[in-house]
Amino acid sequence: MKENKNLEWKEKMTPQYLKTVSAFSNYEGGIIVFGMNDQGKVVPISNPEELCLNIENQINDNIHPQPEYSLEVLENATIELHVQKGEHTPYRYKGKAYKRNDTATIEVDDLELSRLILEGKNLEFEELPSQKEDLTFSTLAEYLRQALGIQEMNENVLKSLELYDKHQKYNLAAEILADRNTFPGIDVAVFGKDENIIWKRVSFVNQSILLQYDQVAQIYKEQYQYETITGFEREKIELVPEVAFREAIANALIHRVWDSKRNIQVSMFEDRIEILSPGGLPSEITKEEFLGKHGSVMRNRILGNIFFRLKLVEIFGTGIYRIRQAYENSITQPTFLISEHSILIALPLFKDHIELSEDESIICEQLSPTRIHTMSQIMKISPFSRTKTRTILNHLIEKNIVEKTGVGRSTGYLLSKSITSSI
């Protein structure tokens, strides 16, 4: 094993480990092993039972509130300190809260600290009271009229949507949905063949996220939809599935972190759309659950419920599943890049068949999705030179049409199983 975000080695007990106890308690939990040096070599503890008592006393006296932990003495005379993620964040050591940054333990900044405080109170940022009293909701009112038939926006409607309380008045979720606000929005850029060519750039900020949703959807339609006319019939063509795009934008709006000043970034290319949303995954959900058909875990419950009532999303955690479902019959597939501070969703052009050049078709006809062919075997039936054949194979590999296996003399080629039926 190696030290990582959730594992730390300590040859001796020094006060520094208490910072890591704070970090583990505030976030994902972890293990501290005493009696292990930085190279991973065991340095047995001479009196492990006494050290366990000292560790227990130090944690109880120095970490506030009291974290959840356990101590275990192993056969090799090392001690494992198991620290659980706590529910009453922030857990402080000497008045400061800490987090893990790879294998290092660092103090959290003011923004992280405010998030830990809210989490410890079981509150979300959107639930905090707004300082504004003159909010208007014309965009929200129009959505409610069209989706639910509600003809009048009044105090009772706002209360039912959990946007208004007679004691707190408006909350921040109401401000985010209001016609005018001071919250971040969405940056849209339309590129040419690459990022050096920009055809259009626009930002939607300081306005209702429902209006932002509409405006970004309109740019999507201008760039990725068109109609064909055959006889008296019109057919709408979607280069990128609209349902996938709308799901991605809605998810970015309702799952982003709203205490960050960064805008959502929508980058539109000739072959794909990229949506970058500030904020990683909520702590309650893993990457595997996010990419699967998981249960509902929302960072902004109030906003999510309103988008659900307005029929803009499915609330039961199926957004990513629905995006993938939109590409069920496509050779190209969406990709998801998840980091600690952001989520990037890339939506490629929908393609249900592969276009091959005449030379590429000749090489593909010689390959199999189940049997690996070596270069020598391919050259026995290839009408091209070895250099040209290798060039064609490399182009097919770049297009994910051909897979390369092995190295050196063991190198082989076969057709990708996922696209065989489309050639």
Side-chain angles (χ1 to χ4, degrees), residues 153-383:
M153 173 67 77
N154 54 41
E155 186 176 303
N156 289 331
V157 172
L158 291 171
K159 285 181 178 178
S160 71
L161 296 175
E162 298 184 72
L163 300 175
Y164 183 84
D165 181 271
K166 64 180 180 181
H167 301 295
Q168 294 185 344
K169 294 193 175 180
Y170 296 117
N171 55 28
L172 292 184
E175 192 173 334
I176 291 168
L177 286 160
D179 296 326
R180 303 297 302 171
N181 59 56
T182 57
F183 284 99
I186 302 176
D187 292 329
V188 181
V190 181
F191 296 95
K193 292 186 179 298
D194 55 48
E195 294 183 2
N196 295 319
I197 303 174
I198 303 175
W199 294 114
K200 185 174 187 177
R201 188 188 292 276
V202 62
S203 294
F204 304 113
V205 296
N206 306 137
Q207 59 190 23
S208 172
I209 61 172
L210 293 171
L211 183 56
Q212 295 175 29
Y213 176 83
D214 284 343
Q215 291 170 324
V216 174
Q218 182 58 43
I219 296 179
Y220 153 82
K221 290 180 179 180
E222 294 170 0
Q223 300 297 321
Y224 298 97
Q225 287 187 359
Y226 64 93
E227 288 186 343
T228 60
I229 302 175
T230 305
F232 296 100
E233 305 230 343
R234 289 178 178 265
E235 180 183 5
K236 183 174 73 172
I237 305 297
E238 299 176 355
L239 300 178
V240 172
E242 183 173 355
V243 63
F245 178 76
R246 287 186 177 274
E247 282 287 345
I249 292 298
N251 272 271
L253 287 167
I254 63 178
H255 290 294
R256 65 157 294 162
V257 286
W258 283 100
D259 52 4
S260 169
K261 296 301 182 183
R262 291 192 300 157
N263 289 342
I264 295 169
Q265 295 181 349
V266 178
S267 302
M268 297 182 172
F269 299 91
E270 291 184 353
D271 63 343
R272 70 193 186 281
I273 305 175
E274 294 182 355
I275 299 100
L276 181 65
S277 177
L281 296 178
S283 58
E284 303 92 333
I285 186 172
T286 65
K287 289 183 180 180
E288 291 73 22
E289 290 171 330
F290 173 79
L291 295 174
K293 195 174 182 180
H294 59 81
S296 178
V297 179
M298 287 187 294
R299 177 174 279 115
N300 303 293
R301 178 187 57 82
I302 296 173
L303 295 177
N305 283 335
I306 290 174
F307 268 62
F308 171 66
R309 292 193 189 190
L310 298 177
K311 300 178 176 61
L312 299 178
V313 296
E314 292 286 343
I315 200 172
F316 304 109
T318 59
I320 302 304
Y321 173 78
R322 294 186 71 197
I323 290 173
R324 285 181 156 172
Q325 198 173 40
Y327 282 87
E328 185 176 11
N329 298 317
S330 175
I331 298 160
T332 55
Q333 291 294 309
T335 57
F336 308 90
L337 182 60
I338 304 167
S339 69
E340 183 179 357
H341 300 295
S342 64
I343 296 176
L344 175 67
I345 298 178
L347 305 176
L349 300 190
F350 187 98
K351 294 183 179 180
D352 57 5
H353 67 282
I354 296 176
E355 296 180 359
L356 299 176
S357 68
E358 183 177 346
D359 292 348
E360 289 173 337
S361 297
I362 291 172
I363 295 299
C364 282
E365 288 174 0
Q366 301 176 30
L367 299 178
S368 164
T370 56
R371 179 187 169 198
I372 297 174
H373 285 69
T374 65
M375 176 60 75
S376 297
Q377 291 171 329
I378 295 172
M379 287 308 303
K380 289 180 180 179
I381 49 179
S382 173

